[in-house]
Amino acid sequence: MRTYVITGGTDGLGKGLGLHFLRRGDRVIAVASGAAKGQAFLAEARRAGAADRAVFLQADLSTVAGMRQVVERVSAATEAVDGLVFGAQRFRTAREETADGLEFTFALAYLSRFVLGHGLLGHLERAEAPVVLNLAGPGGLPGRINWDDLQWRDGYSGMRASMQASRCNDLLGVAFPARHPDARTRYVLYNPGFVDTGLTDPLPQPKRAALKVLARLFAKPVGKAIGPMLALMDAPPRPALTAYLRGKPLEPAGEDFDPAAAARLDHLTTGLLDRIPAPR
Ligand SMILES: NC(=O)c1ccc[n+]([C@@H]2O[C@H](COP(=O)([O-])OP(=O)(O)OC[C@H]3O[C@@H](n4cnc5c(N)ncnc54)[C@H](OP(=O)(O)O)[C@@H]3O)[C@@H](O)[C@H]2O)c1
């Protein structure tokens, strides 16, 4: 029986992956912030006859305390992690600051993946064929890293912050094996394209209704979108880092995957976390 940890495991792609793993007999720890979706996930697990293999871990992954708590609680709950999936996200139309004084999207969509990935590496390394699946936007919509103002104190837009998080995740994928050159854990960056999920829920009306219609018409259903992800998780690629756009391999090269930029972001992120002490 394999163990999967899935952030954003109570909705959309994360939930689709989690329920698939549960139905085939594996164990799933789904991490998300809302109790209602967590209970709904557990109810579906019960209906699938997997109540004893499903765990809902409620945590706010936009806070550093929440991220560290998840590392601690997962470490205590399991010896090994076979697969770690990053799918927690929430679009914010207006800039929001977390309790740590960080911009929300930077914290949730990038920093939580940094903290959990590095923090759970020891548990991943105990598995037979460990893999991190970072669901982000490699090779997709363009965006840039606002190096002088990573927290978007000026010029925030929801799209800019989201696209920056995607670029940060591209660089996290480069930095991860650079930091852990001897690790067996494979790092997979995956852009699923447009998928019909809870993605549109935080948008104000009438944008939400319009995007929901577009999603119904043009987006892939979750069940279909997760197929190539499952294949990658079951047989992780040989290279330490790989990237995919809708199941097709992308060369992790060029500006988005620049090793110097990856080292720079890694250094900045480590410094930023060092300034947020763990509570005594
Ligand atoms: N759907 C697409 O078209 C698309 C396209 C490209 C990339 N992706 C990527 O694929 C991944 C999954 O996307 P999705 O569309 O499946 O997402 P989704 O349906 O919107 O689900 C998001 C999940 O994140 C959780 N979450 C939100 N805020 C959180 C917080 N503060 N702490 C912990 N968990 C939190 C949500 O639960 P709670 O709200 O209860 O916390 C939910 O389980 C994301 O990384 C996204 O960037 C998606």
Side-chain angles (χ1 to χ4, degrees):
M1 180 169 67
R2 284 179 268 193
T3 299
Y4 295 94
V5 177
I6 306 179
T7 75
T10 61
D11 208 350
L13 293 162
K15 183 178 177 182
L17 288 167
L19 291 175
H20 174 91
F21 294 136
L22 288 173
R23 287 188 188 114
R24 76 176 188 190
D26 292 319
R27 183 176 177 225
V28 172
I29 302 175
V31 185
S33 67
K37 282 191 223 166
Q39 293 311 323
F41 165 76
L42 291 177
E44 284 200 52
R46 272 195 299 279
R47 285 196 289 276
D52 55 335
R53 289 179 281 107
V55 175
F56 167 52
L57 212 166
Q58 188 173 6
D60 181 356
L61 286 172
S62 71
T63 70
V64 173
M67 301 168 202
R68 289 174 174 156
Q69 209 182 71
V70 169
V71 172
E72 266 174 40
R73 289 169 72 185
V74 169
S75 301
T78 182
E79 269 292 301
V81 174
D82 294 86
L84 175 57
V85 178
F86 294 135
Q89 64 123 15
R90 187 57 69 233
F91 190 82
R92 284 282 184 263
T93 43
R95 184 178 185 276
E96 221 174 85
E97 250 180 41
T98 68
D100 307 301
L102 302 173
E103 188 278 315
F104 177 89
T105 302
F106 177 88
L108 177 62
Y110 163 65
L111 191 63
S112 75
R113 298 166 188 219
F114 181 100
V115 172
L116 267 64
H118 292 302
L120 290 172
L121 181 68
H123 282 65
L124 283 157
E125 288 291 293
R126 289 190 199 127
E128 207 178 298
V131 60
V132 174
L133 181 74
N134 188 340
L135 298 173
L141 295 173
R144 70 183 177 93
I145 296 183
N146 196 15
W147 290 105
D148 296 331
D149 180 17
L150 283 173
Q151 307 306 322
W152 292 103
R153 289 189 179 84
D154 281 319
Y156 178 90
S157 84
M159 273 313 274
R160 282 182 189 154
S162 288
M163 293 305 106
Q164 168 174 276
S166 278
R167 295 293 80 75
C168 288
N169 279 308
D170 292 345
L171 295 180
L172 175 59
V174 176
F176 195 86
R179 253 213 208 195
H180 311 290
D182 300 324
R184 293 182 302 109
T185 302
R186 306 291 85 174
Y187 206 100
V188 179
L189 290 165
Y190 194 97
N191 181 346
F194 191 21
V195 186
D196 190 8
T197 64
L199 175 88
T200 49
D201 294 351
L203 295 176
Q205 295 289 20
K207 267 192 189 151
R208 190 192 324 158
L211 205 65
K212 269 209 189 305
V213 172
L214 285 179
R216 291 285 132 80
L217 290 173
F218 301 111
K220 266 203 183 127
V222 167
K224 219 171 172 187
I226 61 173
M229 301 176 200
L230 292 166
L232 287 163
M233 294 201 74
D234 286 345
R238 216 174 260 261
L241 169 68
T242 48
Y244 296 83
L245 172 58
R246 290 187 293 270
K248 299 238 159 51
L250 287 172
E251 191 57 44
E255 201 185 330
D256 289 351
F257 301 94
D258 175 33
R264 179 181 181 191
L265 184 65
D266 186 80
H267 179 75
L268 284 173
T269 309
T270 306
L272 183 153
L273 284 167
D274 285 347
R275 290 194 291 279
I276 303 174
R280 285 167 191 274

